[in-house]
Amino acid sequence: MNYIWILLLFVYPATSDEVYQNSSHICDQCLCEDEDEFIIDCSRQQFEHVLANWPPHNKTLVATFSYNNISTLEKLPISTQKAKLVFDHCNIKYLDSGLFSNIRNVEYIDLSYNLLTTEEIGGDDFRGPYSDKRYRPIAVKYLNLAYNQIHSLPVKFFENMPDLEELNLQGNDFKVLDPTTQVALGSLTKIKVLNLADNELTEIEGSLLRNLPTLYSLDLSSNHLDFVPLTLSYISNNLKVLKISDNYIFKLTDQSFLGLDLIELHLNNLPRLNYVEANTFATLKHLKKLYLRDNENLNYIDKEAFGDNQIIDELDLSNNSLVNLDFNLINWSKLKILKINFNPLRCTCDLYNISQSLPKYITRKLDSPMCTDMENEDSTPVFFLKSTICSQDHPLHISNAIQHFNKIRIAMIVLSSLLLSGTIVTVILLLLRYRKTVAFRNYPFATQVSYYPIQTQHI
Ligand SMILES: *[C@@H]1O[C@H](CO)[C@@H](O)[C@H](O)[C@H]1NC(C)=O
Ligand SMILES: *[C@@H]1O[C@H](CO)[C@@H](O)[C@H](O)[C@H]1NC(C)=O
Ligand SMILES: *[C@@H]1O[C@H](CO)[C@@H](O)[C@H](O)[C@H]1NC(C)=O
């Protein structure tokens, strides 16, 4: 008995010292501010453990521990207040189970830029306090797990986070959204914002999206998508913001956004995209903001890419390879923001008409985009083009030429496929015939019959 007491006395202070960061006079070491919220900032303190106690506070606690070295994130100290907790760049590898159970009113958790893996995260880590024979949920609305090493989510990962509205999984190791991940995400009944950018996704599972009817904003940028996933239409009702920049997408057609009702669309940095086909955006009746920039091979937007009555507020077409814009593309006079600089634009009557119909607060700006005069190769500000450009005789209507070119290209492809299949058929027929001939050679009478007609042709 005595022995155990001695052992306990010996061990207890040692472990408590080891497990928690001494927090008496913590505001001498960290920055504390007691204003609308109680703020404590312990960034870059070389902490290896969480605090033993929070400093006294009677309002929302905002605690930041960026850039420490906490390999295991232990159970956090007690607070009954709302809380925002930030533990980014802390080398966190392990999470203690129930780590937020003392601080169940935590609304905002940032665990980005750590070393968390699928194996180390589980439903237990995020469970709240135990009462009435069950674990209570925590109040978290925002969870940031960006830039960890997660490739799949456990089925019950969100079991104790029923109020989650915003989830950031950017920069993890997702190659597919596997069944357990789908079930986990599907349990989020209030999710509004989901960020899956910078993973290695090649497709988005349809059944996943069916289970996310509340989703408002989805970020799929920087993945390995070849197409705009058709399955997006499953969440058509609420999805308003879609970011799908920096993918391998090479086609934008009237099918790409069919069934969606987006307000904001990001299609930047799609190096394989050459042109935007007719009616691509026409079905997006409420589209207000379109970002279609930094697409190095985008040289043509069909003049019917948009719908007739669409009113776009913000249009960014900068840094593409566009040589012209059709005056009938959109209703230019309704734009609030337009960016078309860094394109190899040719000065055309279309551009003149566009600059005339744009609102003055756009064209008044001094940094007008430039176009190249086709007669003398001079660079001219688009917003200062003169009406004379429309009377100049332009042998080449660029957009038509490109449209034409695309038609020719398609024709060539069809023609060459026909030729190829023709050749294959011919070769097969010849081969069959040859085999027949060889077979017939064994019969002296048949040989003559099959040989003579061919020879007579040659004579
Ligand atoms: C915590 O640090 C204070 C000095 O800041 C010291 O007086 C106290 O003994 C320390 N507590 C523990 C448990 O080490
Ligand atoms: C972080 O802590 C681990 C032990 O938990 C240690 O090995 C490592 O050197 C520490 N890194 C820094 C930068 O202090
Ligand atoms: C233009 O886009 C390319 C990628 O296509 C990018 O590397 C470059 O920085 C962009 N330039 C400007 C001025 O934004």
Side-chain angles (χ1 to χ4, degrees):
M1 213 41 195
N2 270 350
Y3 172 75
I4 290 173
W5 274 113
I6 290 166
L7 197 74
L8 274 181
L9 274 176
F10 216 75
V11 167
Y12 184 66
T15 47
S16 86
D17 199 45
E18 198 178 72
V19 171
Y20 288 105
Q21 181 68 38
N22 185 344
S23 58
S24 52
H25 308 287
I26 190 67
C27 290
D28 294 347
Q29 189 177 355
C30 302
L31 285 172
C32 296
E33 250 179 58
D34 195 355
E35 287 173 3
D36 297 342
E37 301 175 314
F38 185 90
I39 295 169
I40 174 167
D41 184 352
C42 297
S43 299
R44 299 177 194 274
Q45 297 297 322
Q46 296 174 320
F47 284 176
E48 296 194 352
H49 301 285
V50 300
L51 298 182
N53 290 294
W54 302 115
H57 58 279
N58 56 4
K59 51 190 80 157
T60 299
L61 174 70
V62 182
T64 305
F65 295 87
S66 308
Y67 294 96
N68 282 289
N69 187 22
I70 306 175
S71 80
T72 301
L73 192 62
E74 299 114 340
K75 202 175 219 185
L76 293 160
I78 295 176
S79 170
T80 54
Q81 301 294 328
K82 287 183 183 173
K84 295 179 190 166
L85 304 175
V86 180
F87 287 95
D88 63 294
H89 298 93
C90 284
N91 292 332
I92 298 171
K93 258 192 178 142
Y94 311 106
L95 301 174
D96 267 2
S97 76
L99 91 134
F100 301 104
S101 56
N102 286 331
I103 186 164
R104 62 176 296 202
N105 291 324
V106 59
E107 291 191 337
Y108 181 107
I109 301 172
D110 183 349
L111 292 169
S112 61
Y113 296 94
N114 283 297
L115 306 168
L116 296 169
T117 60
T118 299
E119 289 68 32
E120 293 302 334
I121 56 170
D124 288 359
D125 304 332
F126 293 86
R127 72 187 172 199
Y130 188 79
S131 75
D132 277 344
K133 295 183 184 155
R134 63 189 183 96
Y135 289 100
R136 300 282 150 177
I138 54 173
V140 62
K141 288 189 176 141
Y142 172 96
L143 176 61
N144 188 348
L145 291 170
Y147 295 97
N148 279 280
Q149 297 161 8
I150 301 165
H151 64 84
S152 167
L153 294 174
V155 169
K156 295 190 170 178
F157 186 65
F158 301 108
E159 194 178 26
N160 299 293
M161 304 183 237
D163 294 328
L164 200 63
E165 290 177 359
E166 188 166 345
L167 174 65
N168 190 344
L169 292 170
Q170 180 168 349
N172 277 283
D173 297 339
F174 289 95
K175 290 193 170 66
V176 287
L177 299 171
D178 63 14
T180 67
T181 305
Q182 289 176 44
V183 175
L185 290 172
S187 69
L188 294 169
T189 55
K190 296 184 183 168
I191 187 80
K192 292 200 174 80
V193 181
L194 176 59
N195 185 345
L196 288 168
D198 205 359
N199 281 285
E200 293 162 38
L201 297 170
T202 51
E203 62 173 336
I204 303 299
E205 275 287 330
S207 49
L208 165 72
L209 297 175
R210 271 183 224 279
N211 291 327
L212 299 174
T214 57
L215 200 62
Y216 179 90
S217 168
L218 178 60
D219 192 342
L220 294 173
S221 309
S222 305
N223 277 289
H224 295 177
L225 300 170
D226 284 328
F227 297 93
V228 179
L230 286 172
T231 49
L232 290 176
S233 59
Y234 295 146
I235 35 172
S236 58
N237 291 348
N238 282 293
L239 191 68
K240 300 297 174 202
V241 180
L242 177 62
K243 298 177 185 172
I244 199 157
S245 303
D246 190 19
N247 272 291
Y248 301 149
I249 293 168
F250 60 94
K251 248 176 127 172
L252 288 178
T253 70
D254 55 358
Q255 301 296 308
S256 299
F257 304 104
L258 198 64
L260 288 173
D261 189 20
L262 303 171
I263 292 176
E264 187 177 324
L265 178 56
H266 298 244
L267 292 165
N268 310 322
N269 201 357
L270 304 174
R272 294 177 65 193
L273 185 69
N274 290 313
Y275 58 101
V276 175
E277 294 184 14
N279 294 316
T280 293
F281 309 115
T283 50
L284 300 172
K285 298 261 183 286
H286 300 107
L287 188 67
K288 290 282 166 251
K289 298 179 180 184
L290 177 63
Y291 305 92
L292 183 67
R293 62 158 197 271
D294 301 338
N295 300 306
E296 56 185 328
N297 292 312
L298 176 61
N299 52 39
Y300 172 64
I301 301 176
D302 192 286
K303 65 178 189 293
E304 286 170 5
F306 293 85
D308 281 344
N309 301 313
Q310 238 165 349
I311 293 180
I312 308 291
D313 286 346
E314 197 171 335
L315 182 61
D316 186 350
L317 298 175
S318 55
N319 196 23
N320 294 310
S321 295
L322 296 169
V323 285
N324 192 28
L325 289 170
D326 196 286
F327 176 59
N328 295 317
L329 187 65
I330 61 164
N331 188 340
W332 303 94
S333 66
K334 304 284 185 186
L335 276 178
K336 299 198 169 76
I337 296 176
L338 171 67
K339 292 181 185 160
I340 52 169
N341 40 357
F342 302 113
N343 276 293
L345 291 170
R346 296 302 195 121
C347 300
T348 57
C349 188
D350 277 312
L351 282 187
Y352 168 77
N353 287 330
I354 289 169
S355 73
Q356 289 302 300
S357 71
L358 282 169
K360 286 288 163 284
Y361 53 78
I362 290 179
T363 53
R364 210 166 37 213
K365 285 216 221 115
L366 290 175
D367 56 341
S368 166
M370 306 299 275
C371 60
T372 307
D373 193 301
M374 280 190 280
E375 299 212 320
N376 52 22
E377 296 292 318
D378 279 350
S379 202
T380 313
V382 173
F383 297 159
F384 301 114
L385 282 174
K386 305 242 162 47
S387 61
T388 49
I389 192 88
C390 295
S391 50
Q392 275 177 26
D393 188 22
H394 290 300
L396 184 73
H397 277 290
I398 306 285
S399 61
N400 286 348
I402 288 167
Q403 200 169 16
H404 206 65
F405 172 72
N406 284 328
K407 276 181 192 153
I408 290 175
R409 204 164 65 158
I410 291 167
M412 292 293 277
I413 290 168
V414 171
L415 205 70
S416 43
S417 341
L418 279 178
L419 270 175
L420 191 67
S421 36
T423 316
I424 290 171
V425 169
T426 316
V427 167
I428 290 173
L429 283 178
L430 282 178
L431 266 176
L432 283 176
R433 189 156 180 173
Y434 174 73
R435 282 179 52 177
K436 240 189 204 165
T437 327
V438 171
F440 276 136
R441 261 188 206 169
N442 297 332
Y443 301 93
F445 304 115
T447 309
Q448 288 182 344
V449 176
S450 69
Y451 258 86
Y452 278 118
I454 293 173
Q455 280 189 345
T456 45
Q457 267 178 4
H458 283 275
I459 293 163

